[in-house]
Amino acid sequence: MLVAFIECFGGLAMILGVLVRPAAVGLIIVMLVAIAKVHWSNGFFINWSLEPGKGHGFEMNLALIGMALAVLVGGAGALSIDRWLRPW
């Protein structure tokens, strides 16, 4: 339940630009756990051929972690609700 909540409302928070840094931390943690528990054993690359019995690798998870890290470091942006509430 917690992971579904973080993925749904964390993504929504990123789109709206409200509480983006806590949302980014939550999404990074979720993706790291997904890599450790599911995707690591399948290697790096996504299963583009959709071969049955072979899962996806952790390539997409790393991309999502990179994007969340960029938001975590850079902040919400000029047109976000966070910037409107705290302009500094």
Side-chain angles (χ1 to χ4, degrees), residues 52-76:
K54 183 180 180 209
H56 295 296
F58 56 91
E59 174 183 14
M60 183 65 168
N61 299 91
L62 284 181
L64 294 173
I65 289 171
M67 288 185 273
L69 277 173
V71 171
L72 181 65
V73 170

Side-chain angles (χ1 to χ4, degrees), residues 20-75:
V20 295
R21 287 190 166 134
V25 169
L27 291 171
I28 289 169
I29 291 170
V30 167
M31 288 301 112
L32 288 173
V33 171
I35 288 171
K37 290 189 143 294
V38 179
H39 299 288
W40 187 262
S41 62
N42 297 321
F44 179 73
F45 294 105
I46 293 175
N47 182 10
W48 287 108
S49 63
L50 300 176
E51 182 181 328
K54 183 180 180 209
H56 295 296
F58 56 91
E59 174 183 14
M60 183 65 168
N61 299 91
L62 284 181
L64 294 173
I65 289 171
M67 288 185 273
L69 277 173
V71 171
L72 181 65
V73 170

Side-chain angles (χ1 to χ4, degrees), residues 16-21 71-88:
L16 295 176
V18 61
L19 297 173
V20 295
R21 287 190 166 134
V71 171
L72 181 65
V73 170
L79 299 176
S80 67
I81 295 173
D82 280 349
R83 194 61 55 114
W84 180 69
L85 293 174
R86 293 186 177 194
W88 66 86

